[in-house]
Amino acid sequence: MTISQINKVQLTDLLSSWKLGTISAEELQDWMVTHYDPPEVIIGKGEPEWTQEAMNIVMNEYEIAKTDKFRLDNAQYAIDFVNCSEASFNQTKHLFIKDGFAD
């Protein structure tokens, strides 16, 4: 069995494509459903622990949320969270979870 990987650049490129309208919310979710499958997929290999955690949270949320709840206007919060520092982890996580999706 081959274990695949998802790296930070790949994820941020995908999120940027959605933010720019190159792909739809449905295509974003389809990618998450198809590719995000821990522990069979290695997430953020070589990245700091907080980056790996942020990547997992972002991918999990976009995998399970209803696409009509995705907030394209706040897509940058997902990108910022994936690219956060250890010091900004909690703040960027809060913004992503609180404002990344419509209630």
Side-chain angles (χ1 to χ4, degrees), residues 11 18 20 24 34-35 43-44 51 68 72-73 75 77 88 92 100:
L11 181 56
W18 175 56
L20 296 171
S24 67
T34 301
H35 295 93
I43 308 300
T51 300
D68 62 345
L72 181 59
D73 57 326
Y77 289 144
S88 67
T92 55

Side-chain angles (χ1 to χ4, degrees), residues 5-44:
Q5 298 181 40
I6 299 171
N7 64 46
K8 183 168 86 168
V9 171
Q10 184 180 14
L11 181 56
T12 55
D13 285 351
L14 181 71
L15 293 168
S16 294
S17 292
W18 175 56
K19 178 183 172 187
L20 296 171
T22 308
I23 64 170
S24 67
E26 290 78 14
E27 290 170 310
L28 177 67
Q29 186 169 63
D30 286 347
W31 189 93
M32 300 297 173
V33 168
T34 301
H35 295 93
Y36 180 63
D37 191 19
E40 288 78 26
V41 177
I42 297 170
I43 308 300

